[in-house]
Amino acid sequence: MDKSETKELKEKLLSNRKNGYDRLAAAETAAVEDYCARYMAFLDAGKTERLCAAESVRLAEEKGYRPYVRGMELKAGDKVYVCNRGKAVMLAHIGRKSLTEGAQIAAAHIDSPRLDLKPNPLYEESELAYFKTHYYGGIRKYQWVTIPLELHGVAALKDGRSAVVNIGADEGDPRLVITDLLPHLGQEQAKKPLASAIPGETLNLLLGSRPIGDEEETGRVKLAVMKLLNEKYGITEDDFTSAELEAVPAVNACDIGLDRSMIGAYGHDDRVCAYAALKALLDLEETPAKTAVCVLADKEEIGSDGVTGMQSAAFDTFMEDLCAAQDVPVRACFEKSFCLSADVTAAYDPDYADVYEKRNAAYLNYGIGLCKYTGARGKSGASDADAETVAYVRRLFDGADVIWQIAELGKVDAGGGGTVAMYMANRNITTLDAGVPVLSMHAPFEVVGKLDCWETYKGMKAVYQAEN
Ligand code: MN
Ligand code: MN
């Protein structure tokens, strides 16, 4: 074979993975930037699942989505949503075809790892006031000390009212912090493994140091803090019992890199896919062939259990309601439906190359990563999509010029993780995982590539617009 023949054969037979920037149409560059600017605003507005749900509803209503009321008549082109207990959102754009033909679903999650306040959080020690926390989701504890934190959530009062708490997000607000040992006295701590060097019970938020009242009294710093909280939110110490208060990094999204090609932020997992799934739905200009459904779920980071998680019957109820409007059994709809479980994957990090398997890793700027399976210890906890489903998505994405790559989380024995995919697949919905590769996933400040964000949006659109 001569040189040109080999080249030809190579092009014909071997896969040719290319950096997304060598494939991105020049005309798309402005759209990428515009999309990412909107995504960054979405992140800043929604640092908790409640705030993210509220922002999603606001954006949906702007685009003509109405709250679904049971029994409502629904016709092709109608746009409805249900907000589940303020923490998860399900939206549908009713398609031209009957739901017997199935729905095209994108499911992402809007909860992220964070520090929740305990039900009895407030205490004083050595004349400093603190909140005790209980971490939510998989965090590396050492990453959460000595960074500015803000607090969001609600205190539900006995009289039915709720106090909405926001400390640290507004301009000029004070922030909270968890202290750490100085290196001078950290010799013993420094010898410990990362996972145990910072015990969970030391993740206490520093709240105040100024005492009030008579110097004979004790607990004066705690009292001063409680007085401030009472003045601002009308709550007393007992109200923490029925509160959900979440400490999250007090950092807004920003461009990363001299070339501004990346975005650094808290909560890319999984708001980067949630935004893509939502925005693609809201941007559909024509009535889709099949009903397009977007699910923004809560509780993924702790196993998708609970009323607002993906295992909740809330999703089945929503779909049953849509199906009832067309006299279609929901089970018949599910068996013909397709779901893209839109969740992030790990981006190959050259600094930690030994945990990745280079030939099957997802790379920054190579587009949305398709994961046939996730899971750990031999695919446990994965729905493991069938080959036909992967082929279906290849066809959809290639048809819409979506830049995509195939991805595994890391080396077979390095660990693993799961998504909502198996909970959709268990419902007899054909499901495949796909999402944006993330650097430093689950850290208080994660990094994604702008190109990958954009391609994920295009991928979601292709799912919603599929004819079959
Ligand atoms: Mn996730
Ligand atoms: Mn996660």
Side-chain angles (χ1 to χ4, degrees), residues 156-197:
L157 308 177
K158 277 198 292 184
D159 64 7
R161 286 181 304 126
S162 269
V164 176
V165 174
N166 161 14
I167 300 167
D170 295 335
E171 185 91 12
D173 264 11
R175 268 84 191 258
L176 309 176
V177 74
I178 296 166
T179 56
D180 192 13
L181 210 46
L182 60 167
H184 316 66
L185 298 177
Q187 288 186 25
E188 285 308 309
Q189 185 200 39
K191 289 179 198 157
K192 292 180 184 169
L194 274 183
S196 57

Side-chain angles (χ1 to χ4, degrees), residues 235-288:
I235 57 173
T236 63
E237 190 176 9
D238 282 334
D239 294 324
F240 287 121
T241 311
S242 51
E244 273 185 329
L245 299 172
E246 307 172 3
V248 295
V251 183
N252 282 348
C254 64
D255 284 347
I256 291 287
L258 299 183
D259 58 6
R260 298 180 176 271
S261 61
M262 297 164 280
I263 303 170
Y266 163 68
H268 282 311
D269 178 8
D270 181 35
R271 294 178 194 130
V272 68
C273 297
Y275 184 68
L278 176 69
K279 183 87 169 85
L281 185 77
L282 302 187
D283 286 353
L284 290 181
E285 273 155 20
E286 284 166 24
T287 303

Side-chain angles (χ1 to χ4, degrees), residues 305-358:
D305 290 297
V307 278
T308 50
M310 201 65 249
Q311 298 195 66
S312 164
F315 174 69
D316 307 271
T317 306
F318 179 66
M319 293 303 294
E320 268 170 41
D321 284 339
L322 300 185
C323 286
Q326 299 181 9
D327 274 325
V328 172
V330 72
R331 284 182 298 171
C333 170
F334 278 177
E335 75 179 5
K336 289 286 180 60
S337 292
F338 170 74
C339 175
L340 200 75
S341 162
D343 205 344
V344 298
T345 186
Y348 179 81
D349 186 339
D351 274 340
Y352 299 98
D354 52 337
V355 299
Y356 297 90
E357 196 270 276
K358 274 186 122 162

